[in-house]
Amino acid sequence: AQSVTQLGSHVSVSEGALVLLRCNYSSSVPPYLFWYVQYPNQGLQLLLKYTSAATLVKGINGFEAEFKKSETSFHLTKPSAHMSDAAEYFCAVSSGYSTLTFGKGTMLLVSP
Amino acid sequence: EAQVTQNPRYLITVTGKKLTVTCSQNMNHEYMSWYRQDPGLGLRQIYYSMNVEVTDKGDVPEGYKVSRKEKRNFPLILESPSPNQTSLYFCASSFSGGAKTQYFGPGTRLLVL
Protein backbone atom coordinates (compact mmCIF):
# COMPACT_ATOMS: atom_id res chain seq x y z
CA ALA A 1 0.00 0.00 0.00
CA GLN A 2 1.12 3.54 -0.62
CA SER A 3 0.03 6.88 0.78
CA VAL A 4 0.98 10.55 0.83
CA THR A 5 0.58 13.15 3.56
CA GLN A 6 0.89 16.82 2.78
CA LEU A 7 1.31 18.97 5.86
CA GLY A 8 -0.76 22.13 5.69
CA SER A 9 -3.77 22.61 3.44
CA HIS A 10 -2.78 26.26 3.00
CA VAL A 11 0.63 27.93 3.04
CA SER A 12 1.02 31.72 2.84
CA VAL A 13 4.24 33.47 1.88
CA SER A 14 5.26 36.94 0.81
CA GLU A 15 6.62 37.57 -2.63
CA GLY A 16 10.38 36.92 -2.58
CA ALA A 17 10.22 34.61 0.44
CA LEU A 18 11.21 30.96 0.57
CA VAL A 19 8.54 28.45 -0.41
CA LEU A 20 8.48 25.13 1.48
CA LEU A 21 5.70 22.63 0.88
CA ARG A 22 5.93 19.42 2.87
CA CYS A 23 5.25 15.91 1.67
CA ASN A 24 5.74 12.59 3.46
CA TYR A 25 5.07 9.27 1.82
CA SER A 26 4.56 5.66 2.73
CA SER A 27 5.45 2.86 0.36
CA SER A 28 6.33 -0.80 0.74
CA VAL A 29 8.69 -0.68 -2.26
CA PRO A 30 11.08 2.00 -3.53
CA PRO A 31 8.83 4.81 -4.63
CA TYR A 32 8.59 7.15 -7.54
CA LEU A 33 7.59 10.60 -6.30
CA PHE A 34 5.97 13.49 -8.11
CA TRP A 35 4.92 17.06 -7.55
CA TYR A 36 2.10 18.42 -9.69
CA VAL A 37 0.75 21.97 -9.80
CA GLN A 38 -2.80 23.04 -10.56
CA TYR A 39 -3.45 26.63 -11.56
CA PRO A 40 -7.01 27.94 -11.20
CA ASN A 41 -9.47 26.28 -13.59
CA GLN A 42 -6.78 24.13 -15.19
CA GLY A 43 -5.67 20.52 -15.14
CA LEU A 44 -2.58 19.23 -13.37
CA GLN A 45 0.89 19.89 -14.71
CA LEU A 46 4.05 18.04 -13.70
CA LEU A 47 6.55 20.16 -11.75
CA LEU A 48 9.17 17.49 -11.11
CA LYS A 49 9.63 13.83 -10.31
CA TYR A 50 12.02 11.50 -8.50
CA THR A 51 12.80 8.20 -10.20
CA SER A 52 15.72 6.84 -8.12
CA ALA A 53 18.47 8.81 -9.82
CA ALA A 54 19.68 12.01 -8.12
CA THR A 55 18.05 12.68 -4.76
CA LEU A 56 17.86 16.42 -5.45
CA VAL A 57 15.46 16.96 -8.31
CA LYS A 58 15.09 20.21 -10.19
CA GLY A 59 11.84 21.08 -11.89
CA ILE A 60 10.21 23.85 -13.84
CA ASN A 61 9.77 27.44 -12.67
CA GLY A 62 12.68 27.26 -10.20
CA PHE A 63 11.21 24.54 -7.97
CA GLU A 64 13.21 21.66 -6.57
CA ALA A 65 12.63 18.78 -4.18
CA GLU A 66 14.89 16.49 -2.21
CA PHE A 67 14.19 12.81 -1.67
CA LYS A 68 15.12 11.77 1.88
CA LYS A 69 14.63 8.06 2.37
CA SER A 70 15.41 8.13 6.11
CA GLU A 71 12.68 10.71 6.67
CA THR A 72 10.31 9.34 3.97
CA SER A 73 9.99 12.90 2.74
CA PHE A 74 9.94 14.72 -0.58
CA HIS A 75 9.52 18.40 0.31
CA LEU A 76 9.15 21.01 -2.42
CA THR A 77 11.10 24.27 -2.23
CA LYS A 78 11.67 27.46 -4.17
CA PRO A 79 14.12 30.12 -2.95
CA SER A 80 12.01 33.12 -3.91
CA ALA A 81 8.24 33.10 -4.38
CA HIS A 82 6.59 34.91 -7.26
CA MET A 83 2.98 35.97 -7.50
CA SER A 84 2.54 33.56 -10.42
CA ASP A 85 3.37 30.62 -8.10
CA ALA A 86 -0.02 30.93 -6.41
CA ALA A 87 -1.69 27.61 -7.13
CA GLU A 88 -2.53 24.26 -5.56
CA TYR A 89 0.30 21.75 -5.30
CA PHE A 90 -0.09 18.00 -5.10
CA CYS A 91 2.47 15.43 -4.05
CA ALA A 92 1.98 11.93 -5.44
CA VAL A 93 3.60 8.50 -5.09
CA SER A 94 3.77 5.54 -7.44
CA SER A 95 5.20 2.13 -6.61
CA GLY A 96 6.14 0.00 -9.57
CA TYR A 97 2.95 0.40 -11.57
CA SER A 98 1.41 3.47 -13.14
CA THR A 99 -1.14 4.00 -10.38
CA LEU A 100 -0.60 7.33 -8.65
CA THR A 101 -1.73 8.07 -5.12
CA PHE A 102 -2.15 11.78 -4.45
CA GLY A 103 -1.97 13.82 -1.29
CA LYS A 104 -4.82 16.15 -0.43
CA GLY A 105 -3.05 19.17 -1.82
CA THR A 106 -1.56 22.40 -0.46
CA MET A 107 -2.82 25.76 -1.61
CA LEU A 108 0.03 28.25 -1.91
CA LEU A 109 -0.96 31.87 -1.37
CA VAL A 110 1.53 34.59 -2.32
CA SER A 111 1.06 38.12 -1.05
CA PRO A 112 2.77 41.24 -2.44
CA GLU B 1 -0.02 18.91 -30.20
CA ALA B 2 0.18 16.13 -27.63
CA GLN B 3 -2.83 16.33 -25.40
CA VAL B 4 -5.61 14.71 -23.43
CA THR B 5 -9.06 16.01 -24.27
CA GLN B 6 -12.25 15.67 -22.27
CA ASN B 7 -15.85 16.42 -23.20
CA PRO B 8 -17.94 18.03 -22.03
CA ARG B 9 -16.04 20.52 -19.89
CA TYR B 10 -19.12 21.44 -17.89
CA LEU B 11 -22.27 19.42 -17.33
CA ILE B 12 -25.41 19.92 -15.26
CA THR B 13 -27.73 16.94 -15.03
CA VAL B 14 -30.42 15.43 -12.82
CA THR B 15 -30.36 12.39 -10.60
CA GLY B 16 -30.69 9.14 -12.52
CA LYS B 17 -30.05 10.44 -16.02
CA LYS B 18 -27.26 8.42 -17.60
CA LEU B 19 -24.27 10.34 -18.86
CA THR B 20 -20.90 9.72 -20.46
CA VAL B 21 -17.77 11.83 -20.21
CA THR B 22 -15.36 11.18 -23.03
CA CYS B 23 -11.58 11.14 -22.81
CA SER B 24 -9.17 10.89 -25.69
CA GLN B 25 -5.37 11.03 -25.94
CA ASN B 26 -3.13 11.32 -29.00
CA MET B 27 0.15 10.18 -27.45
CA ASN B 28 -0.25 6.41 -27.98
CA HIS B 29 -0.23 5.86 -24.21
CA GLU B 30 -1.08 2.43 -22.86
CA TYR B 31 -2.21 3.63 -19.45
CA MET B 32 -5.30 5.78 -18.86
CA SER B 33 -7.06 6.73 -15.67
CA TRP B 34 -9.98 8.67 -14.24
CA TYR B 35 -9.82 10.76 -11.07
CA ARG B 36 -12.28 12.86 -9.16
CA GLN B 37 -11.21 15.94 -7.26
CA ASP B 38 -13.14 17.17 -4.24
CA PRO B 39 -12.19 20.03 -1.89
CA GLY B 40 -9.99 18.84 0.94
CA LEU B 41 -9.74 15.31 -0.47
CA GLY B 42 -7.26 15.79 -3.32
CA LEU B 43 -7.52 13.51 -6.33
CA ARG B 44 -8.90 10.02 -5.92
CA GLN B 45 -8.66 7.39 -8.60
CA ILE B 46 -11.93 5.99 -9.94
CA TYR B 47 -10.81 3.47 -12.58
CA TYR B 48 -7.72 2.82 -14.62
CA SER B 49 -6.74 0.88 -17.71
CA MET B 50 -3.37 -0.67 -18.41
CA ASN B 51 -4.24 -1.26 -22.09
CA VAL B 52 -7.09 -2.03 -24.48
CA GLU B 53 -9.73 -4.25 -22.86
CA VAL B 54 -7.86 -4.16 -19.52
CA THR B 55 -9.51 -2.08 -16.79
CA ASP B 56 -9.45 -2.15 -13.02
CA LYS B 57 -11.00 -0.39 -10.06
CA GLY B 58 -9.30 2.47 -8.31
CA ASP B 59 -10.10 3.78 -4.85
CA VAL B 60 -13.64 5.08 -5.47
CA PRO B 61 -15.27 3.03 -8.28
CA GLU B 62 -18.83 2.82 -6.92
CA GLY B 63 -21.38 4.31 -9.31
CA TYR B 64 -19.03 4.48 -12.28
CA LYS B 65 -18.26 2.32 -15.30
CA VAL B 66 -15.52 2.50 -17.90
CA SER B 67 -14.56 0.77 -21.11
CA ARG B 68 -11.39 0.68 -23.20
CA LYS B 69 -12.17 -0.56 -26.68
CA GLU B 70 -9.59 1.60 -28.41
CA LYS B 71 -6.19 2.67 -27.18
CA ARG B 72 -6.89 6.38 -27.49
CA ASN B 73 -10.31 6.53 -25.79
CA PHE B 74 -11.40 5.86 -22.22
CA PRO B 75 -14.97 7.04 -21.53
CA LEU B 76 -16.39 7.37 -18.03
CA ILE B 77 -20.01 6.33 -17.65
CA LEU B 78 -22.38 7.28 -14.86
CA GLU B 79 -25.43 5.08 -15.38
CA SER B 80 -27.53 6.61 -12.61
CA PRO B 81 -25.86 9.76 -11.33
CA SER B 82 -26.48 10.92 -7.78
CA PRO B 83 -25.73 14.27 -6.09
CA ASN B 84 -22.69 12.80 -4.31
CA GLN B 85 -21.09 12.41 -7.73
CA THR B 86 -21.00 16.17 -8.14
CA SER B 87 -17.29 16.76 -8.59
CA LEU B 88 -14.44 17.78 -10.87
CA TYR B 89 -13.27 14.87 -13.01
CA PHE B 90 -9.88 14.45 -14.64
CA CYS B 91 -8.71 11.96 -17.20
CA ALA B 92 -4.99 11.17 -17.42
CA SER B 93 -2.72 9.05 -19.58
CA SER B 94 0.87 7.83 -19.63
CA PHE B 95 3.13 5.15 -20.94
CA SER B 96 3.03 2.17 -18.61
CA GLY B 97 5.42 2.05 -15.69
CA GLY B 98 5.41 3.72 -12.30
CA ALA B 99 8.02 6.35 -13.18
CA LYS B 100 6.17 7.60 -16.21
CA THR B 101 4.63 11.06 -16.11
CA GLN B 102 0.86 11.19 -16.28
CA TYR B 103 -0.64 13.83 -18.54
CA PHE B 104 -3.93 15.31 -17.45
CA GLY B 105 -6.92 16.56 -19.35
CA PRO B 106 -8.48 19.97 -18.59
CA GLY B 107 -11.19 18.54 -16.36
CA THR B 108 -14.96 18.11 -16.48
CA ARG B 109 -17.04 19.87 -13.86
CA LEU B 110 -20.20 17.88 -13.14
CA LEU B 111 -23.21 19.03 -11.12
CA VAL B 112 -25.90 16.46 -10.35
CA LEU B 113 -29.16 17.97 -9.09
Side-chain angles (χ1 to χ4, degrees), chain B residues 35-98:
Chain B
Y35 299 89
R36 61 177 288 174
Q37 183 180 16
D38 301 290
L41 298 179
L43 279 82
R44 295 177 292 167
Q45 190 177 53
I46 303 171
Y47 270 94
Y48 64 95
S49 170
M50 300 292 284
N51 215 323
V52 175
E53 302 290 3
V54 181
T55 63
D56 208 347
K57 296 177 181 179
D59 298 319
V60 288
E62 295 78 18
Y64 304 95
K65 285 179 56 177
V66 294
S67 67
R68 186 93 180 271
K69 299 189 187 316
E70 304 169 285
K71 197 172 187 179
R72 64 183 295 132
N73 296 323
F74 190 45
L76 179 69
I77 303 160
L78 285 71
E79 296 216 323
S80 183
S82 62
N84 65 12
Q85 293 178 297
T86 292
S87 188
L88 178 57
Y89 292 86
F90 287 102
C91 181
S93 72
S94 71
F95 292 111
S96 291

Side-chain angles (χ1 to χ4, degrees), chain A residues 36 38 49 94 97-99 104, chain B residues 37 45 90 97-99 101-102:
Chain A
Y36 282 85
Q38 184 180 31
K49 66 179 179 181
S94 176
Y97 297 93
S98 294
T99 300
K104 294 184 178 181
Chain B
Q37 183 180 16
Q45 190 177 53
F90 287 102
T101 301
Q102 289 197 19

Side-chain angles (χ1 to χ4, degrees), chain A residues 4-94:
Chain A
V4 171
T5 301
Q6 291 185 240
L7 296 176
S9 59
H10 291 79
V11 170
S12 295
V13 299
S14 298
E15 194 171 19
L18 171 71
V19 175
L20 171 59
L21 304 182
R22 300 178 186 273
C23 171
N24 289 89
Y25 69 91
S26 172
S27 175
S28 56
V29 298
Y32 303 113
L33 293 159
F34 304 78
W35 276 100
Y36 282 85
V37 61
Q38 184 180 31
Y39 298 104
N41 299 313
Q42 295 187 27
L44 277 74
Q45 175 184 355
L46 181 72
L47 266 181
L48 50 80
K49 66 179 179 181
Y50 167 77
T51 59
S52 75
T55 56
L56 182 62
V57 181
K58 294 186 184 300
I60 61 172
N61 301 336
F63 284 93
E64 62 181 39
E66 186 172 9
F67 171 68
K68 293 187 176 180
K69 184 178 179 180
S70 61
E71 298 177 8
T72 61
S73 69
F74 190 57
H75 301 331
L76 181 70
T77 61
K78 181 174 180 177
S80 177
H82 192 272
M83 296 294 289
S84 61
D85 294 326
E88 190 160 21
Y89 292 79
F90 292 94
C91 182
V93 62
S94 176

Side-chain angles (χ1 to χ4, degrees), chain B residues 5-22:
Chain B
T5 56
Q6 295 179 228
N7 283 291
R9 293 290 312 280
Y10 303 91
L11 180 59
I12 301 174
T13 189
V14 296
T15 299
K17 186 176 181 181
K18 181 179 178 179
L19 67 91
T20 299
V21 183
T22 64

